Amino acid sequence: MGSHAIESTREQRYQCQIPYRRHDSTRYRHGTVNDHATGNDGQPDSTLPHSGEPDEQYTGSGLIVEKAKRLAKIDATRAAGTEPYPYRFDRSHTLAEIRDEHAALAPGTELSDRVDVAGRVMLLRDSGKLIFATLRDRGGDIQLFVSKAVIGDAGFGAVQNLDLGDWVGVSGTVMTTRKGELSVKVDNLQLLSKAIRPLPDKWHGLTDTDTRFRQRYADLIVNAEARRTFEIRHAIIASFRRTLHETGFIEVETPVLHVEAGGAHARPFVTHHNALDMQMFLRIALELHLKRLIVAGMERVFEIGRVFRNEGISTRHNPEFTMMELYQAFADHTEMIDITERLITAAALDSTGTSVVTIFGPQEHTETVDLALPWRRARMIDLVHDAIGQDVHPSQSVEHLRGVASAHGVSCAPRWGPGKIIEELFEATVEHTLIAPTFVTGHPVEISPLARTDRYDPFLTERFELFIGGREYANGYSELNDPVEQRVRFQDEQTAKDAGDDEATGVDEDYLRALEYGMPPTGGLGIGMDRVAMLIAGVHSIKEVILFPTLRHEVL
RNA sequence: GCCCCUCUAGCUCAAUGGUUAGAGCACCGGACUUUUAAUCCGUUGGUUCUGGGUUCGAGCCCCAGGGGGGGCACCA
């Protein structure tokens, strides 16, 4: 069924390529996104050939025509005996290496150092017998200085035929221009890959958010801000790994396909395994498998992995996102608080060189926060007390707490107990005020089915959540390791599930069996990596830190 | 699911309800051996997201639908 659907989509794409099919039905095979918008523009066929001289046989512009012109250049290149898509190119330097080695050359310098570099042509400046090009590789840009007298007539013609977006490999010497621009004086140029589709505006880049997210490849080519954001994201993840390895954690991989979607409150994606004829769920958390490994004796484990929640999409939510979870034997929640602070502060320093981040509040309001300053710790019930001037505690009656809640505009579902009502009060009255990093601790037992009861207060747990700028970033606790109590908590969840709470989890019998072998005292932590990336990169939307965010299916 | 905004050339953007929807970049042709978004000259390029409607006349107003964005709800 699936492959049939793909085939028919391809067929529809090809039918958008009428000008090409008519002249060359075998070579062109690239389905395109926006072609339907231009489609067959009704021009006579003679304007759209795909062979011979590109200059005379057709005129006009628009995407279809421009691609035809570039395809004609490919044919001409092949006809001249050159492969427009060669297999490899051996470069001697990256562009950053050339910049590092020749950081302070005086204007007008000509070195004899030979270099072979490769990249994409981003700009072209043709001044007759001299052409300047801006070449870009992953690490930066450098100017190509192409003189007709140096490269020869044939080579110069090939450079004149280049289009923005083409990949080239060049050989030459290092020089600076009269104005001091570091350049490669090209004596040989080889096309490495011909671009058929024109780049977005060379100055403005791409601004249309739809196109930026759907065609991230184009976004990254032309928008330096997008490249910077993802460099930061990946530096953050690398920083986390380094900190954790230095602290004695080992990285593991656990199943994405779960029989029981536990470890969080969320609606899962449901799927089916054919050979086993079994319903399965995409994981909503990493927690329960990692704690099985603590039972196994691995002591310190972490996983950075994708989790999936079948819920709404917003500036802070993507259906698939990246969690880091870690578990440490013999530790409790206080050590998890410490490592949370270390991980995030180090990640900011490692990825941006500063621990100062900008918080975007409502109505364009921004303020800065220095993550290097000590982070506040406060109990949830104390914060609510400070906000409403009234004591709240999960030992109080549901009726009393419902009254308090409604007095503060919080409406309660019938099945909510005291703990859930207190959490809702917290979210309504406190959460948005927590701008500087704050560890909120002591969550009620009712809303923390996997956390250990507070050693001094049986109604609370040894749990914390980290809030910065009113948003949640991390969640951790002293892990519940008593299999008898865990079964009771699971049964409460099952009761809620049976009562219609489709985010509640059921009883995970295998997890209980693992606990029965004995789990040492353990601290656990989960951090939402996408949100940390948003915080440190200073962007407003989670789509800015996910390379390919979830979008509605594009109708072609 | 609800509300608001938005959609014009490959890209970035214009266009009181009133000629044949314009400009820059890109593309094509021409000039130029030190440019830096090169510059200069000349071309070309449009299903104004789709479908209806109002009107003598719709890119613009109305209705329905679609994509995207923002907000609300949901979301440990």
Side-chain angles (χ1 to χ4, degrees):
Chain A
M1 189 178 94
S3 63
H4 176 76
I6 289 168
E7 286 307 317
S8 63
T9 301
R10 283 185 182 159
E11 187 54 36
Q12 287 159 11
R13 288 176 177 181
Y14 293 155
Q15 284 168 2
C16 294
Q17 304 295 332
I18 290 164
Y20 301 129
R21 289 167 62 82
R22 205 162 289 169
H23 294 279
D24 182 350
S25 61
T26 59
R27 183 158 297 160
Y28 191 75
R29 279 295 178 268
H30 304 289
T32 56
V33 169
N34 288 328
D35 292 357
H36 65 291
T38 48
N40 181 352
D41 58 10
Q43 295 211 6
D45 291 347
S46 61
T47 65
L48 297 163
H50 181 204
S51 63
E53 291 300 316
D55 300 347
E56 295 171 1
Q57 296 200 9
Y58 47 88
T59 58
S61 179
L63 183 60
I64 298 283
V65 176
E66 175 146 1
K67 292 203 298 187
K69 288 170 180 169
R70 296 194 185 198
L71 287 165
K73 288 183 183 178
I74 289 177
D75 284 353
T77 302
R78 286 209 173 94
T82 303
E83 172 53 48
Y85 296 102
Y87 283 90
R88 66 178 288 160
F89 180 83
D90 295 318
R91 62 178 174 181
S92 66
H93 293 72
T94 66
L95 301 184
E97 286 168 348
I98 293 179
R99 287 208 171 277
D100 289 346
E101 288 177 24
H102 305 287
L105 279 189
T109 306
E110 300 234 3
L111 301 179
S112 55
D113 308 39
R114 290 203 59 78
V115 294
D116 304 297
V117 296
R120 172 180 264 128
V121 177
M122 298 304 296
L123 293 171
L124 284 166
R125 296 178 290 280
D126 181 345
S127 63
K129 299 186 177 64
L130 198 57
I131 297 175
F132 300 90
T134 301
L135 187 70
R136 173 175 299 163
D137 71 9
R138 193 177 72 174
D141 295 354
I142 211 159
Q143 177 168 270
L144 302 182
F145 180 101
V146 186
S147 163
K148 193 173 187 178
V150 173
I151 198 172
D153 289 355
F156 201 73
V159 175
Q160 286 174 313
N161 258 328
L162 288 175
D163 290 292
L164 301 185
D166 288 350
W167 290 88
V168 297
V170 307
S171 304
T173 54
V174 177
M175 60 166 282
T176 53
T177 63
R178 288 176 197 163
K179 295 265 177 62
E181 180 77 28
L182 185 63
S183 308
V184 173
K185 182 185 264 188
V186 178
D187 51 44
N188 192 278
L189 179 139
Q190 182 184 3
L191 183 64
L192 297 183
S193 181
K194 184 67 187 172
I196 299 306
R197 180 175 288 263
L199 291 180
D201 191 287
K202 67 184 180 185
W203 182 245
H204 300 95
L206 263 184
T207 62
D208 182 74
T209 48
D210 182 23
T211 311
R212 285 190 52 232
F213 298 146
R214 286 194 192 281
Q215 302 185 31
R216 182 68 85 184
Y217 32 86
D219 182 36
L220 291 169
I221 290 170
V222 297
N223 289 335
E225 266 306 300
R227 291 196 296 277
R228 174 187 168 273
T229 298
F230 287 104
E231 285 164 8
I232 289 173
R233 180 195 170 104
H234 299 123
I236 289 167
I237 292 172
S239 173
F240 266 59
R241 284 204 164 94
R242 182 167 58 247
T243 300
L244 292 169
H245 287 139
E246 287 170 1
T247 317
F249 286 86
I250 60 170
E251 183 167 11
V252 298
E253 294 177 277
T254 63
V256 172
L257 294 173
H258 285 191
V259 175
E260 186 77 51
H265 274 165
R267 293 181 208 189
F269 285 90
V270 184
T271 186
H272 183 262
H273 188 279
N274 290 339
L276 298 178
D277 189 21
M278 181 172 73
Q279 184 182 54
M280 301 194 86
F281 304 93
L282 299 188
R283 65 185 176 186
I284 59 172
L286 313 176
E287 176 155 355
L288 296 178
H289 282 91
L290 293 177
K291 287 199 284 196
R292 285 173 170 92
L293 297 176
I294 298 297
V295 169
M298 294 179 77
E299 293 193 7
R300 295 186 184 200
V301 294
F302 77 98
E303 179 168 8
I304 296 174
R306 202 72 57 84
V307 299
F308 306 83
R309 297 187 182 177
N310 204 339
E311 290 160 357
I313 296 175
S314 77
T315 50
R316 294 171 296 282
H317 301 86
N318 196 66
E320 51 179 306
F321 61 101
T322 301
M323 289 273 290
M324 190 290 304
E325 290 195 29
L326 68 82
Y327 294 86
Q328 177 177 347
F330 316 121
D332 65 13
H333 67 296
T334 62
E335 281 158 290
M336 297 300 101
I337 284 176
D338 291 341
I339 198 168
T340 300
E341 197 168 335
R342 268 197 292 136
L343 281 167
I344 293 176
T345 305
L349 284 167
D350 288 345
S351 60
T352 65
T354 175
S355 57
V356 177
V357 297
T358 300
I359 306 293
F360 299 102
Q363 287 105 37
E364 312 280 313
H365 175 75
T366 64
E367 54 188 287
T368 58
V369 168
D370 188 348
L371 300 174
L373 299 173
W375 296 4
R376 180 186 176 200
R377 304 178 189 192
R379 292 199 304 176
M380 179 180 283
I381 56 173
D382 296 334
L383 289 166
V384 173
H385 169 91
D386 293 346
I388 69 174
Q390 247 179 303
D391 279 331
V392 294
H393 194 275
S395 61
Q396 293 168 336
S397 73
V398 178
E399 293 72 26
H400 170 73
L401 286 166
R402 279 204 185 118
V404 175
S406 65
H408 291 89
V410 177
S411 54
C412 301
R415 64 171 177 266
W416 290 359
K420 177 65 176 168
I421 295 171
I422 289 171
E423 183 191 36
E424 292 289 328
L425 267 170
F426 166 79
E427 288 180 4
T429 63
V430 179
E431 191 176 278
H432 63 278
T433 69
L434 302 175
I435 303 303
T438 304
F439 290 107
V440 176
T441 65
H443 298 58
V445 172
E446 176 190 338
I447 58 167
S448 312
L450 299 163
R452 188 161 186 167
T453 303
D454 188 288
R455 64 197 79 179
Y456 306 111
D457 185 336
F459 293 91
L460 304 181
T461 56
E462 295 197 350
R463 177 178 172 190
F464 66 91
E465 289 179 302
L466 168 64
F467 290 89
I468 305 172
R471 292 180 183 173
E472 184 200 339
Y473 286 85
N475 179 24
Y477 31 85
S478 301
E479 301 295 336
L480 176 56
N481 62 348
D482 175 343
V484 176
E485 186 179 351
Q486 184 66 75
R487 179 175 292 279
V488 173
R489 303 270 197 102
F490 273 156
Q491 282 165 348
D492 290 344
E493 284 289 299
Q494 185 67 57
T495 302
K497 188 176 186 175
D498 295 342
D501 181 353
D502 49 12
E503 289 157 8
T505 56
V507 178
D508 188 332
E509 290 289 350
D510 177 72
Y511 179 67
L512 290 170
R513 178 169 61 191
L515 288 189
E516 287 169 4
Y517 281 102
M519 183 165 86
T522 298
L525 167 66
I527 296 181
M529 298 304 293
D530 310 275
R531 291 188 181 178
V532 171
M534 288 171 66
L535 174 74
I536 294 174
V539 298
H540 294 76
S541 170
I542 198 169
K543 290 188 173 74
E544 298 288 353
V545 299
I546 293 175
L547 281 168
F548 299 99
T550 304
L551 299 171
R552 205 178 295 270
H553 181 250
E554 186 175 23
V555 179
L556 294 173

